[in-house]
Amino acid sequence: MSEKRDTSAQKVQEERRKRVKRIKNIIITIVIVCLLTPSICCVTLWIKVAKMERQLNEIERLQEDTSEKTESDENTVEALQEKKNDKVEDVASSEKDVQEELDHSKIKGKKVYLTFDDGPSKNTEKILDILKQYEIKATFFVIGKTDDFSQKMYKRIYEEGHTLAMHSYTHQYKTIYRSLKEYEKDITELSDLLYNITGERTKFIRFPGGSSNEVSNVDMKEIIRYTNREGYIYFDWNVINGDATGQKLTVKEMVNNVISGVDSYDTSIVLMHDCEGKELTVKSLPKIIKKLQKMETNILPINSTTTPIQHVKAESVK
Ligand SMILES: [Zn+2]
């Protein structure tokens, strides 16, 4: 009986031991899990952080590369721009060189400047063709017109090496000589028109009626003071062909007027007209050129080295 009790007590004890062991195992497992989980998490996080760091570095490197490339692109653009500017400057300076070569004060012999006022018109085209044929450069004091043909003429004058100069936009004496403000407005409008067509501003002008005209309401000295201030150089004339005198001259008379005038001066600025109705001027031109060439005169376009003929001298107006 006591043996049986001992055995059952042993069984109970055994079972308790087993239970304790199970509980112990569970606790150990829980502890291990509790310890391992954060460690695993830590390691995983660490790996992730390391990976992200690598990616970040990569992005930074790419950004640096891009900005370096942009910078180098900008440098290239700048270099190209500089190169272009240099080229423009070169062209400008070579043009200047050419201009310097054509210093009219150094030219020996008679100088003749053929000038045409009041164009462009159909006659301008014919005159340009004649000048081209004889390889002569002249000066055109133009008025303001916006039609296609006139624009073509301004362009031709400029591109064929003649001097494109300003006369007046409207050529309306009453308006332009009403006040200095009106004159200013008129000449500025013409300057803008020609600038828009050729890309260049011309500083050469001729007052309608000349600097000594007596039709102006404004004292011409006031206008001259303005043109001096603006850097304009105005040209009157000392020789005329007579195509605007109101008399109907023959071609022969026109030719004689020019040749006898040129005979009297070392520097001649010849006033002619290329507006409509001046067909005889066109007709007389080849004869005039041939005679001038025979006289071995220098036929030149006005430039900044030309000694201006001025009825009222610019320097006399302070
Ligand atoms: Zn005129």
Side-chain angles (χ1 to χ4, degrees), residues 32 49 59 61 93 96 132 242 297:
I32 286 173
V49 165
I59 288 167
R61 200 179 55 76
S93 76
K96 212 174 153 232
K132 196 182 230 174
T297 58

Side-chain angles (χ1 to χ4, degrees), residues 117-119 141 143 167-168 171 173 206-210 271 273 275:
D117 283 15
D118 302 353
F141 290 98
I143 63 166
H167 196 27
S168 158
H171 205 280
Y173 285 49
R206 174 173 282 158
F207 299 117
L271 170 65
H273 294 82
C275 48

Side-chain angles (χ1 to χ4, degrees), residues 121 123 243 248 254 273-282:
S121 77
N123 286 325
D243 65 355
K248 283 223 173 244
M254 284 188 190
H273 294 82
D274 63 328
C275 48
E276 268 158 46
K278 306 295 176 188
E279 286 71 30
L280 290 188
T281 300
V282 177

Side-chain angles (χ1 to χ4, degrees), residues 14-276:
E14 182 73 19
E15 264 176 22
R16 194 191 287 155
R17 226 185 359 256
K18 269 184 183 170
R19 211 165 42 236
V20 167
K21 203 180 171 187
R22 218 166 30 240
I23 289 168
K24 216 169 129 188
N25 281 343
I26 288 170
I27 288 170
I28 287 169
T29 311
I30 288 172
V31 167
I32 286 173
V33 166
C34 281
L35 282 174
L36 268 180
T37 310
S39 303
I40 290 168
C41 281
C42 270
V43 170
T44 316
L45 278 172
W46 181 77
I47 290 169
K48 273 194 173 167
V49 165
K51 202 175 164 186
M52 279 169 83
E53 222 165 38
R54 263 204 315 277
Q55 281 176 344
L56 208 67
N57 285 341
E58 184 70 14
I59 288 167
E60 270 175 7
R61 200 179 55 76
L62 276 172
Q63 268 178 348
E64 262 172 32
D65 280 357
T66 314
S67 72
E68 261 174 35
K69 199 169 178 280
T70 312
E71 218 173 282
S72 83
D73 281 352
E74 273 169 11
N75 288 343
T76 315
V77 169
E78 261 176 34
L80 280 172
Q81 191 62 41
E82 263 174 34
K83 220 172 177 182
K84 196 181 159 197
N85 287 347
D86 284 349
K87 212 168 177 186
V88 170
E89 268 171 27
D90 280 351
V91 169
S93 76
S94 72
E95 272 173 6
K96 212 174 153 232
D97 287 346
V98 171
Q99 266 181 12
E100 275 165 9
E101 272 173 34
L102 292 171
D103 184 347
H104 294 183
S105 66
K106 288 179 183 151
I107 294 174
K108 289 198 172 78
K110 275 183 184 294
K111 278 167 268 187
V112 180
Y113 297 90
L114 300 178
T115 72
F116 300 92
D117 283 15
D118 302 353
S121 77
K122 291 277 171 208
N123 286 325
T124 311
E125 193 170 40
K126 292 176 196 154
I127 288 171
L128 284 169
D129 291 341
I130 295 168
L131 294 171
K132 196 182 230 174
Q133 188 194 334
Y134 287 91
E135 295 177 358
I136 297 289
K137 305 291 179 214
T139 303
F140 293 81
F141 290 98
V142 299
I143 63 166
K145 286 181 173 181
T146 51
D147 59 283
D148 288 349
F149 177 79
S150 299
Q151 296 209 25
K152 207 175 113 191
M153 288 302 103
Y154 297 130
K155 233 183 207 161
R156 256 196 84 180
I157 292 169
Y158 177 76
E159 284 172 0
E160 292 180 13
H162 305 289
T163 300
L164 182 60
M166 298 191 284
H167 196 27
S168 158
Y169 193 96
T170 61
H171 205 280
Q172 297 291 319
Y173 285 49
K174 270 191 182 160
T175 318
I176 60 169
Y177 290 142
R178 193 184 289 144
S179 66
L180 175 62
K181 220 173 174 181
E182 290 284 353
Y183 179 81
E184 231 181 287
K185 196 180 137 217
D186 179 272
I187 205 77
T188 307
E189 204 174 351
L190 182 55
S191 177
D192 289 345
L193 173 75
L194 300 182
Y195 177 74
N196 287 336
I197 293 164
T198 65
E200 207 176 285
R201 297 245 177 227
T202 178
K203 58 179 173 182
F204 307 119
I205 58 171
R206 174 173 282 158
F207 299 117
S211 61
S212 61
N213 81 77
E214 286 172 353
V215 291
S216 178
N217 256 340
V218 193
D219 185 352
M220 280 308 287
K221 284 187 177 171
E222 206 183 315
I223 293 180
I224 290 169
R225 216 169 281 130
Y226 160 75
T227 54
N228 282 351
R229 211 167 46 234
E230 290 295 308
Y232 291 130
I233 305 168
Y234 62 90
F235 288 81
D236 290 316
W237 56 89
N238 55 0
V239 176
I240 58 167
N241 69 344
D243 65 355
T245 51
Q247 300 164 303
K248 283 223 173 244
L249 298 185
T250 61
V251 166
K252 201 177 171 190
E253 282 168 324
M254 284 188 190
V255 175
N256 286 343
N257 281 343
V258 174
I259 300 306
S260 63
V262 169
D263 244 349
S264 329
Y265 303 104
D266 287 335
T267 296
S268 300
I269 297 191
V270 184
L271 170 65
M272 296 180 276
H273 294 82
D274 63 328
C275 48
E276 268 158 46

